[in-house]
Amino acid sequence: MALTVRLQKRYGAFQLDVDFSAAGGQVLALLGASGSGKSVTLRCIAGIERPDRGRVTLDGRVLFDSERGINLPPQRRQVGCLFQQYALFPNMTVEQNIAVCLGRLERTRRRARTAELVSMLRLEGAEKLLPAQLSGGQQQRTALARILASEPEAILLDEPFAALDSHLKWQLEPELREALEPFNGPVIWVSHDRGEIYRNCKTVCVLDRGTSAPVASLRELMTNPMTVSAARISGCKNYVPVCPGEEAGWVCIPDWGLTLRAAAPWRKGVTTLGISAGCVRPARGETVNVFPCRAVRVTEDVSAMLVTLRPETAAPGAPLLHMELRKERWTVLPEREHIQISVRPEDLLLLE
């Protein structure tokens, strides 16, 4: 039961151009910076907005095809949407909110299916309550029960926890994950939270200024991003222009006055070197990629020290280097102003 999306839509100077697929039972993360087109993509899939061109299919059914003039209305697409605001009917009880999506069934079957969904989403005891009387978790589970009542073939999650505080989010996230486990259709999950995506998704499609990258495994994105946009999403903090060194296997960083060894081969299109802050470390006997830096700012975080460094060979105005170091490693350093820094060749990211 695959969802295949290939569409284009223009908003003034902004051009959305996405092309990806999600298989049945797969939770695909749709990631990108604010304004990259994630929510617009979901609205186009759901039929809330009409693309300019393209084709969207779900389990072989054509939901949209610009060439053939097909554009099914949202109620015929069998796509369930869970947005930040759960959009429950405020004057209906929990069971009424669920049953409203079961109107096609005769009364006895509608009651039985409502009770089944109440049990599945652990809403027993809340059936007669109005949305305002529910906890955040109960509201979310009611919204999901209503989606499942409509028997969707795909589910779209648009920042489902963005409006919640961190404590409530930590309570609701495993509940949502558990509720989705029996669903065998594709799920598209949009979020800005890297940890949330890492815990719940296995594959990812990155949108960069409206254009989608090929679908990749989440592990690949986190360990080996290929573009600056993907590296930012993976949590990389350091970026500096780079060019190939005179010898194979080496890269030149003119802004820092450094030439470093890289494990990845140089490839066409690379413009930027990325280094995760956690991969920058004080040298301890290494002989490759060791260079002196001066600490210009030190900030204490909950469990780590965030250190901003300036390579001593850097040109004025060059990008600074950020290091994230466990507190116990920072406190034992004999010198904390002038520090010999080491970066492993495999931790140098060559980015397009």
Side-chain angles (χ1 to χ4, degrees):
M1 189 182 292
L3 173 67
T4 301
V5 180
R6 188 176 69 252
L7 56 85
Q8 297 177 345
K9 186 172 181 62
R10 178 172 290 279
Y11 286 92
F14 178 78
Q15 174 71 40
L16 180 69
D17 188 352
V18 297
D19 187 348
F20 64 85
S21 295
Q26 179 183 41
V27 183
L28 171 70
L30 194 60
L31 300 182
S34 296
S36 61
K38 304 183 299 298
S39 293
V40 174
T41 299
L42 294 194
R43 291 198 295 269
C44 287
I45 295 171
I48 300 169
E49 296 200 26
R50 182 188 178 105
D52 298 330
R53 289 176 300 281
R55 179 179 168 90
V56 179
T57 63
L58 176 57
D59 195 26
R61 292 189 303 115
V62 179
L63 309 186
F64 175 80
D65 190 319
S66 56
E67 292 187 0
R68 297 168 58 189
I70 298 173
N71 184 30
L72 297 187
Q75 60 270 25
R76 292 182 54 199
R77 295 199 174 200
Q78 293 181 267
V79 174
C81 304
L82 184 64
F83 297 106
Q84 297 176 25
Q85 305 301 328
Y86 303 131
L88 299 173
F89 295 112
N91 297 321
M92 289 186 179
T93 64
V94 166
E95 61 184 4
Q96 289 171 336
N97 262 286
I98 298 171
V100 74
C101 293
L102 297 168
R104 65 190 181 281
L105 301 179
E106 56 89 17
R107 181 176 298 180
T108 301
R109 178 57 185 142
R110 186 164 64 244
R111 288 177 177 171
R113 179 57 176 158
T114 298
E116 183 181 332
L117 288 166
V118 164
S119 176
M120 179 189 300
L121 276 301
R122 294 185 290 109
L123 289 164
E124 298 95 333
E127 297 96 323
K128 305 298 182 183
L129 299 181
L130 297 173
Q133 299 171 301
L134 303 176
S135 69
Q138 290 172 322
Q139 289 182 25
Q140 185 187 74
R141 293 199 299 275
T142 302
L144 188 57
R146 192 173 64 176
I147 288 173
L148 295 176
S150 66
E151 298 184 351
E153 294 181 357
I155 292 178
L156 311 178
L157 306 175
D158 190 6
E159 300 276 4
F161 305 115
L164 306 178
D165 63 49
S166 58
H167 177 70
L168 185 55
K169 168 182 157 57
W170 273 103
Q171 289 181 308
L172 299 189
E173 185 185 313
E175 293 183 5
L176 177 59
R177 182 168 58 245
E178 181 180 331
L180 288 172
E181 283 179 359
F183 183 67
N184 61 5
V187 177
I188 309 298
W189 191 315
V190 167
S191 175
H192 282 94
D193 188 319
R194 186 172 67 254
E196 177 186 313
I197 290 298
Y198 195 83
R199 290 186 293 271
N200 297 288
C201 306
K202 298 299 183 185
T203 56
V204 59
C205 177
V206 175
L207 293 187
D208 183 10
R209 290 169 289 187
T211 301
S212 63
V215 172
S217 72
L218 194 65
R219 183 174 297 277
E220 182 181 353
L221 172 73
M222 294 299 181
T223 59
N224 188 34
M226 303 297 284
T227 66
V228 172
S229 177
R232 291 191 191 282
I233 290 171
S234 76
C236 182
K237 296 292 193 298
N238 296 297
Y239 303 93
V240 63
V242 70
C243 58
E246 294 183 0
E247 298 182 32
W250 294 80
V251 294
C252 180
I253 311 167
D255 284 359
W256 289 348
L258 296 173
T259 298
L260 303 178
R261 180 181 290 278
W266 185 267
R267 66 184 188 279
K268 184 179 179 180
V270 169
T271 62
T272 304
L273 180 71
I275 308 174
S276 170
C279 294
V280 180
R281 63 198 72 193
R284 295 196 297 186
E286 294 88 350
T287 58
V288 176
N289 293 356
V290 177
F291 52 94
C293 290
R294 181 172 62 86
V296 297
R297 184 168 60 251
V298 179
T299 304
E300 184 175 3
D301 201 358
V302 175
S303 59
M305 303 301 292
L306 310 179
V307 186
T308 302
L309 304 158
R310 183 187 303 280
E312 293 191 356
T313 52
L320 298 175
L321 179 64
H322 303 282
M323 175 173 69
E324 183 174 328
L325 196 65
R326 293 197 309 271
K327 289 183 179 180
E328 58 268 26
R329 289 198 62 185
W330 175 254
T331 55
V332 299
L333 289 180
E335 171 63 59
R336 298 179 200 164
E337 182 176 357
H338 296 280
I339 308 171
Q340 290 289 322
I341 290 299
S342 170
V343 182
R344 299 184 305 173
E346 56 266 37
D347 291 330
L348 299 184
L349 304 175
L350 303 183
L351 306 172
E352 300 170 22

